[in-house]
Amino acid sequence: MDISTAGFDCIVIGAGIAGASVAAELSSDRRVLLLERESQPGYHTTGRSAALFTVTYGPEVIRALSRASAAFFHTPASPHLEHPLLEPRGAVFVARQDQKAALARTAEELGPHVTPLTGAEIETLVPLLRKGYASAGLRDASAADIDVNGLHQHYLKTFRAAGGVLQTKAEVRALRKEGAWQVDTNQGTFHAPVIVNAAGAWADEIATLAGLAPAGLTPKRRTALTVAPPDGMEPDRWPMVVDIDEQFYLKADAGKLLISPADATPSPPCDAQPEELDIAICIDRIETAFDLHRPRIESRWAGLRSFLPDGDPVAGFDPEGEGFFWLAGQGGYGIQTAPALARLAAALLRGEDIPGDIAAEGVTAKALARRRPGLA
């Protein structure tokens, strides 16, 4: 089939977790084309996630979307999944004596989702933590590792099984409305009445190509390293450890330690790479909190997490561009919110109400609208 002449109801731009999930949801009753600029889906942010599911991270809307996604993560009904999507992990927020005010604020905000811990209790859970470093903390016992690739493949396979078409190496070069939307790429020109802008860090650039105002996205670089644990220590059962002010995190990863300075450095959209200064900051913060000395770095990478000014994602039609739908700005929470956000976006694209279970968590179309206070 010559897909450049095929008729599509919707073109989704970007095959990361956002684009793949909404394409899968739409493909049950729509003819959908999924465009990806790279040679494979999920090359950028989706493939570089720390992969933790928790309802305690992020602003209120993100936490609500995470709660609405929990049922799918725990009991996914999919013929394309051979293993559970979640593996128990737990998370501990640690606070030094000088961070007790931040700890109290977080405890009040998260309420029943966390339980208090003493410094001694944290040291028992994470024996690598330096004695006396943490004065107290909070535990999220429900946090779990996500099989990111399994989730992403579930959506891509669901999409293909429903007749959806994926076109890789298709960088969007021009976008214009001529009755239907016309999308020019290096793989051909495609047409559809509806465009879904799920291009991640490039979402504002896609809007500009369409002649629409950017939403004010800021991609931010985050650095991660894997290092070997000290001899004789087996970290696989340890909870993830997060500084209460999010200055670092440490997480077991297949017998190694995944560490990050939790940096958020503004960056243009790009194939993000770690910088030596961020690596040095990461090692310094981790050595300060944990009994590690000059750990051997086994791998290093960086990814972009894109934020809107108010910290919430956007999922809705652009009021200035008929048939142009935004799905962007998930920050670092795109994986754990994907099941709910994709269903919500698909409902809005069909002109339907937000699904009842998502609305019950307090999520409204107004909170995710393209035109809302605080957005450009």
Side-chain angles (χ1 to χ4, degrees):
M1 177 180 69
D2 181 0
I3 64 172
S4 65
T5 61
F8 294 102
D9 298 312
C10 178
I11 296 174
V12 179
I13 300 174
I17 194 65
S21 58
V22 75
E25 293 290 344
L26 287 171
S27 61
S28 63
D29 61 353
R30 299 287 192 277
R31 295 166 297 171
V32 183
L33 172 64
L34 181 58
L35 297 179
E36 170 55 49
R37 62 181 284 162
E38 305 296 345
S39 60
Q40 62 185 37
Y43 175 79
H44 291 284
T45 301
T46 297
R48 309 179 192 190
S49 169
L52 193 77
F53 177 77
T54 171
V55 298
T56 62
Y57 278 7
E60 184 178 349
V61 170
I62 290 294
R63 296 200 303 272
L65 288 166
S66 298
R67 293 193 301 270
S69 297
F72 178 83
F73 276 114
H74 287 289
T75 55
S78 171
H80 308 299
L81 288 169
E82 299 178 358
H83 308 286
L85 284 171
L86 298 183
E87 183 72 23
R89 167 65 57 197
V92 172
F93 299 90
V94 298
R96 303 182 305 269
Q97 182 65 32
D98 62 300
Q99 294 175 303
K100 278 204 164 183
L103 184 71
R105 288 193 301 270
T106 303
E108 182 177 2
E109 185 178 3
L110 300 182
H113 297 293
V114 293
T115 55
L117 292 173
T118 65
E121 288 172 327
I122 299 171
E123 291 168 5
T124 299
L125 288 170
V126 187
L128 188 62
L129 194 71
R130 289 193 183 277
K131 301 297 182 184
Y133 176 84
S135 65
L138 300 169
R139 185 178 188 181
D140 173 9
S142 66
D145 292 339
I146 302 173
D147 179 356
V148 176
N149 183 62
L151 179 67
H152 196 205
Q153 289 302 315
H154 151 74
Y155 284 123
L156 291 171
K157 290 176 181 179
T158 299
F159 171 68
R160 291 190 182 104
V165 178
L166 170 65
Q167 177 65 63
T168 58
K169 301 180 183 178
E171 181 176 359
V172 176
R173 295 176 172 174
L175 216 107
R176 55 192 174 275
K177 190 82 160 59
E178 296 180 353
W181 283 98
Q182 179 170 306
V183 185
D184 296 336
T185 78
N186 54 320
Q187 297 292 335
T189 299
F190 309 100
H191 305 82
V194 175
I195 296 293
V196 177
N197 180 11
W202 287 265
D204 269 354
E205 293 188 1
I206 293 297
T208 300
L209 287 175
L212 300 172
L217 279 169
T218 301
K220 296 182 179 182
R221 187 179 66 250
R222 173 150 292 186
T223 305
L225 320 172
T226 56
V227 300
D231 291 342
M233 281 195 170
E234 297 181 0
D236 285 346
R237 295 185 180 276
W238 297 350
M240 183 174 183
V241 182
V242 185
D243 174 69
I244 197 67
D245 290 322
E246 205 170 350
Q247 293 296 299
F248 65 79
Y249 64 74
L250 176 147
K251 177 175 176 283
D253 182 32
K256 308 297 182 183
L257 297 174
L258 171 64
I259 59 176
S260 173
D263 47 330
T265 307
S267 166
C270 64
D271 181 5
Q273 300 297 320
E275 297 193 359
E276 291 302 322
L277 176 60
D278 294 325
I279 292 171
I281 291 171
C282 179
I283 295 297
D284 178 68
R285 291 178 181 176
I286 293 297
E287 286 186 333
T288 298
F290 299 92
D291 195 13
L292 277 173
H293 180 63
R294 296 183 180 178
R296 184 177 73 256
I297 298 173
E298 301 199 354
S299 61
R300 62 188 75 189
W301 66 93
L304 296 181
R305 304 152 72 246
S306 297
F307 295 85
L308 288 163
D310 62 4
D312 293 333
V314 58
F317 283 104
D318 193 302
E320 305 300 325
E322 182 184 359
F324 188 95
F325 190 95
W326 288 79
L327 184 59
Q330 294 90 335
Y333 315 102
I335 305 296
Q336 69 179 46
T337 60
L341 193 53
R343 288 195 296 123
L344 179 153
L348 296 179
L349 281 156
R350 294 185 178 108
E352 300 170 353
D353 293 335
I354 291 176
D357 63 311
I358 302 175
E361 295 293 349
V363 182
T364 65
K366 184 178 180 180
L368 300 174
R370 172 62 185 87
R371 283 284 182 259
R372 64 181 190 247
L375 290 199

